[in-house]
Amino acid sequence: MEPDAVLTLFDRFADAVYRVALSYLRSPQEAEDAVQTVFLKLLEKNVEIYPNKERAFLTKMTINHCKNILSSAKTRSTVPLDETVPLVQPEDQALFRAVMELPEKYRAVVCLHYFEGYSFREIAKFLGIGASAVSMRLVRARSILKQQIGRD
């Protein structure tokens, strides 16, 4: 892919890629590394991304990269989240931390749906599961979160 095209994609989607990586890796440093790796792969390979599908392509690419990191034998233990996670309200910090403590299968759908705004069908396609499974995981995740933080 052309460097100018990758830079344009980076400017538009780096934050979204970071948030997806952070939801999987739970470490700001590893998420930053994942962002760099995803965009580096675009530079190295001759990839064609369909117009208006860039965000979905990068999200899927980020999910796959994060799953590879997590399944590798080199997985390091993560550090607790810093207080520097940019959220608007202090109560959002507690909610974000609670979401990050969810099991991976629930955390992924919560982050993709609520933080990134993907539909059930899009999430199902990214994760290779059915839309009803996405819905059920969201219901279960909300139940866990309700127990953890004691409110809706």
Side-chain angles (χ1 to χ4, degrees):
M1 199 170 199
E2 293 295 320
D4 291 341
V6 174
L7 284 175
T8 302
L9 289 175
F10 183 84
D11 290 340
R12 288 180 58 199
F13 301 109
D15 290 339
V17 169
Y18 175 79
R19 287 188 303 268
V20 171
L22 184 62
S23 74
Y24 270 86
L25 303 174
R26 293 194 255 183
S27 165
Q29 294 81 14
E30 287 188 21
E32 289 171 1
D33 290 346
V35 171
Q36 290 178 357
T37 303
V38 165
F39 285 100
L40 249 168
K41 285 181 182 178
L42 288 177
L43 279 172
E44 294 171 349
K45 298 182 180 188
N46 190 14
V47 184
E48 183 180 339
I49 304 174
Y50 296 111
N52 300 322
K53 299 293 183 187
E54 298 93 350
R55 185 170 175 232
F57 180 85
L58 290 170
T59 299
K60 182 65 175 174
M61 194 171 170
T62 304
I63 290 170
N64 289 339
H65 177 69
C66 291
K67 284 182 177 181
N68 289 342
I69 289 172
L70 293 172
S71 67
S72 75
K74 297 178 185 177
T75 302
R76 302 177 301 265
S77 63
T78 59
V79 296
L81 288 174
D82 294 334
E83 294 299 320
T84 60
V85 176
L87 298 170
V88 180
Q89 303 292 333
E91 58 269 12
D92 290 344
Q93 286 281 353
L95 178 61
F96 185 77
R97 288 183 187 281
V99 169
M100 289 298 115
E101 292 174 7
L102 289 171
E104 180 185 334
K105 68 181 186 177
Y106 300 133
R107 185 176 64 246
V109 295
V110 167
C111 290
L112 289 171
H113 183 67
Y114 291 111
F115 298 160
E116 298 302 318
Y118 285 108
S119 70
F120 289 5
R121 197 169 351 141
E122 290 170 320
I123 296 169
K125 188 174 178 183
F126 292 147
L127 301 178
I129 59 176
S132 62
V134 171
S135 174
M136 184 53 66
R137 287 181 185 185
L138 280 173
V139 167
R140 290 178 180 158
R142 282 193 297 260
S143 174
I144 293 168
L145 289 172
K146 188 174 182 178
Q147 290 174 358
Q148 286 180 345
I149 58 178
R151 62 179 173 93
D152 260 332

